[in-house]
Amino acid sequence: MHYSIEAKTIADSDVVVIGGGPAGLGAAIAAARNGAKTLLVEQHGALGGMMTLGLVMPLAGQATFEGNLLGGILQEFLERVMAEGKNYCIGSEDDQKVKQGVSVAASAPSLYSQALSWHQSFFSSPHIMKHVALEMVLEAGVDILFHTSLVDVVRENNRITMVVVNTKSGIGTITGREFIDATGDGDVIYRAGEEFVKGSEPGVMSSLLETGLDTVHDEDADHSAYGEYEQSGLMQPVTIMFTMGNIDTERAKAFCNIKVRYSDIGITREDFLKLPYANTPGFVVDDTDEVPLPQGRVLFFRTLRQGEAVINMTRVIGIDGSDAADLSRGEILCQRQVFYVLDFLKRFIPGFEKSYLIETADVLGVRETRRLVGRKVLTGREAINCVPMPDVIANGTYIIDIHDPQGKRKAIGGTIHGECYDIPYGSLTPKTVENLLAAGRCISTDHVAHSSARVQGTCMLIGQAAGTAAAIAAAECKAVGDISIADLQHRLTDAGVKLRNAAKVN
């Protein structure tokens, strides 16, 4: 039996942005502010992506290690969130925290918590962020199509002519002059037939060690002791975040960001084996004295409310978030882990005895899938050593932070060797498609650089650059790779983006 689907054109725009997460927000607002008729396509019913629906409230990458804000739409967004949060989100006892707008890991002083503090990791209600994101997009004049998912991309020669989408009204097409892939997973890149990669490259650990990286995680700094990855193409694990309330954080912080041993919580390995989730994924008992936890540690971040924290402890390895079956398997395993972790914290970690669950994320947190192989591949060595890029369009500031794809370590990484690193325009531009730009974690980087550039503040800055570039290309009828870099840089700095290596901007 044959089926035929009639697809009608439901929208036409100068710039079409696919994906309404941090990168898509920056892209859509920037494109519209630069005069382009802009459409933002989002598969869910709210904007913000992992920042809101995923409860990833530590919004890192908004400032350099020296505390210099990076400006642009990101800073504007955060300032509005702080104002709204003060009015609608918290009590007066937390007012000072809102004025600061920051929080750090609720752990004893460590390089890791210092690194987060240096970044001004921002916390607020995801619901306030959702509201501010919507208001900023609407104020810019962007059209929004919610509950709309990408089905396919129609490409003629070196240009995308339309995208096929699925809506409540049925299958439809959207035409446009310029397209921005802000899906995170590189869905547009993939369906357009543009080159991409997934996961780690061969010899990734050797390359990382050659940089002389200083560890920021509470474990042995000698990553060489763990050896090379067993294979290439490995991607970082997936996570579901959740929030809890009524925590005695002063008591609990002694257990945060450290490996917990059975003796630390007054039980034996045999006691742990009696738990209903012992030897399930993430809780597999070995012959060491360390309590098996999905993240290898207790890890939580205090929010702006007294006794409240966001918990980052679920972790499932071996999931390809761009594969439908894998994505479903990851959801199932992580959703079950949430309540296993919840039970563990309440049973064993001081300060959590009277705590309760507030909410769990609506979407699975996927750290790494497809990455564009663009005109320029930003390497981990370049990011760590803060190598200047003449076509810089944003700065990255976050630590190298690879959640171990093999699950052997809490994390692999360390601090960059400078205030910030340059993200080049070449990492946003494909080799062949003339009217497509990447924005967010699917830009052209290697596995190591990606582990830093993937964070939300950086993604929003990259999105602003992509939206601005797309608007220029649409107005000038040029391929995205042929626009003036100097013009793009000047527009970004005029819009408040603080390109830290300003001497390179002509």
Side-chain angles (χ1 to χ4, degrees):
M1 183 177 293
H2 297 281
Y3 296 91
S4 62
I5 298 175
E6 182 178 346
K8 297 181 179 179
T9 300
I10 58 177
D12 175 74
S13 283
D14 295 331
V15 176
V16 179
V17 181
I18 311 295
L25 291 176
I29 294 168
R33 288 180 177 178
N34 278 274
K37 180 182 179 184
T38 305
L39 175 68
L40 178 57
V41 179
E42 167 55 41
Q43 64 179 328
H44 299 291
L47 299 176
M50 293 309 302
M51 179 173 63
T52 57
L53 301 172
L55 300 182
V56 184
M57 286 179 273
L59 202 159
Q62 62 154 316
T64 69
F65 272 65
E66 296 178 3
N68 297 306
L69 296 176
L70 296 177
I73 290 170
L74 171 62
Q75 184 172 337
E76 180 183 345
F77 172 78
L78 296 177
E79 288 174 351
R80 292 182 61 163
V81 167
M82 278 196 288
E84 296 286 0
K86 181 177 179 181
N87 289 333
Y88 302 115
C89 183
I90 64 159
S92 59
E93 69 275 9
D94 297 309
D95 181 66
Q96 186 60 37
K97 286 185 179 180
V98 171
K99 289 178 181 177
Q100 296 172 352
V102 300
S103 182
V104 298
S107 61
S110 68
L111 282 174
Y112 185 66
S113 62
Q114 289 176 31
L116 288 172
S117 178
W118 290 336
H119 286 71
Q120 307 285 303
S121 287
F122 185 89
F123 283 72
S124 184
S125 163
H127 308 290
I128 296 295
M129 289 182 171
K130 191 186 305 181
H131 166 70
V132 171
L134 179 63
E135 290 301 307
M136 288 182 66
V137 166
L138 293 176
E139 289 166 9
V142 176
D143 294 321
I144 307 172
L145 203 54
F146 280 128
H147 303 293
T148 301
S149 56
L150 180 71
V151 174
D152 208 351
V153 172
V154 179
R155 173 178 173 177
E156 294 182 5
N157 298 318
N158 288 336
R159 293 188 67 83
I160 295 173
T161 57
M162 66 179 69
V163 293
V164 183
V165 296
N166 184 29
T167 74
K168 271 293 185 181
S169 303
I171 299 293
T173 62
I174 298 171
T175 57
R177 300 179 70 177
E178 314 296 331
F179 295 84
I180 297 176
D181 188 336
T183 63
D185 295 316
D187 291 337
V188 183
I189 294 165
Y190 164 63
R191 288 174 172 82
E194 191 62 46
E195 186 179 0
F196 67 89
V197 293
K198 292 182 184 179
S200 60
E201 302 82 15
V204 62
M205 286 303 299
S206 298
S207 175
L208 191 62
L209 289 168
E210 288 173 3
T211 64
L213 198 62
D214 299 322
T215 188
V216 293
H217 297 284
D218 187 22
E219 57 185 81
D220 191 345
D222 184 11
H223 293 310
S224 62
Y226 296 94
E228 194 54 76
Y229 282 14
E230 294 173 0
Q231 63 188 81
S232 59
L234 296 179
M235 288 171 275
Q236 295 185 66
V238 297
T239 292
I240 286 182
M241 306 282 277
F242 61 100
T243 55
M244 297 179 68
N246 203 35
I247 304 166
D248 185 342
T249 55
E250 285 303 305
R251 293 175 61 216
K253 70 180 182 181
F255 291 85
C256 189
N257 199 36
I258 63 171
K259 294 177 179 178
V260 179
R261 292 172 171 77
Y262 295 109
S263 58
D264 294 334
I265 55 177
I267 65 170
T268 64
R269 182 183 293 103
E270 290 68 31
D271 293 330
F272 187 89
L273 283 168
K274 295 175 185 178
L275 297 173
Y277 42 88
N279 283 331
T280 63
F283 297 89
V284 177
V285 176
D286 57 24
D287 58 359
T288 71
D289 62 350
E290 294 172 3
V291 178
L293 296 171
Q295 263 254 34
R297 55 183 165 174
V298 173
L299 184 62
F300 61 93
F301 302 90
R302 291 174 295 200
T303 71
L304 297 177
R305 298 187 189 92
Q306 185 70 30
E308 182 180 288
V310 58
I311 314 298
N312 182 4
M313 289 180 62
T314 70
R315 174 184 284 181
V316 176
I317 64 172
I319 299 295
D320 180 351
S322 63
D323 178 87
D326 257 18
L327 192 61
S328 296
R329 183 165 63 92
E331 286 277 14
I332 291 167
L333 292 172
C334 272
Q335 287 182 29
R336 298 187 79 182
Q337 275 189 2
V338 165
F339 280 83
Y340 298 161
V341 170
L342 184 67
D343 180 81
F344 174 82
L345 291 173
K346 288 178 65 65
R347 281 179 188 257
F348 300 117
I349 301 301
F352 280 87
E353 298 91 341
K354 297 180 181 180
S355 64
Y356 53 80
L357 177 67
I358 296 175
E359 63 179 327
T360 65
D362 293 327
V363 294
L364 182 68
V366 178
R367 293 181 174 88
E368 181 177 14
T369 50
R370 304 185 191 98
R371 302 192 307 274
L372 171 71
V373 178
R375 296 190 176 193
K376 163 66 182 176
V377 178
L378 178 68
T379 68
R381 182 175 297 183
E382 289 170 329
I384 293 166
N385 292 327
C386 302
V387 175
M389 301 285 169
D391 60 341
V392 55
I393 46 78
N395 290 124
T397 67
Y398 197 59
I399 58 174
I400 300 300
D401 190 25
I402 306 171
H403 291 244
D404 187 2
Q406 300 177 114
K408 296 179 180 179
R409 290 154 282 191
K410 294 186 301 185
I412 308 162
T415 54
I416 60 176
H417 298 160
E419 186 182 19
C420 59
Y421 59 89
D422 289 354
I423 296 172
Y425 184 60
S427 288
L428 281 60
T429 51
K431 293 177 179 177
T432 64
V433 182
E434 297 178 348
N435 62 336
L436 173 64
L437 287 165
R441 65 177 172 86
C442 61
I443 66 168
S444 181
T445 64
D446 70 5
H447 178 67
V448 174
H450 166 272
S451 73
S452 171
R454 67 183 171 84
V455 297
Q456 295 173 122
T458 306
C459 285
M460 194 176 292
L461 291 166
I462 295 170
Q464 182 169 358
T468 305
I472 294 172
E476 298 180 354
C477 298
K478 289 183 177 179
V480 292
D482 293 338
I483 67 169
S484 166
I485 299 300
D487 182 23
L488 173 58
Q489 291 171 331
H490 280 301
R491 291 202 191 197
L492 290 171
T493 56
D494 286 347
V497 176
K498 308 295 185 184
L499 296 177
R500 297 303 301 170
N501 294 302
K504 297 198 297 292
V505 179
N506 297 323

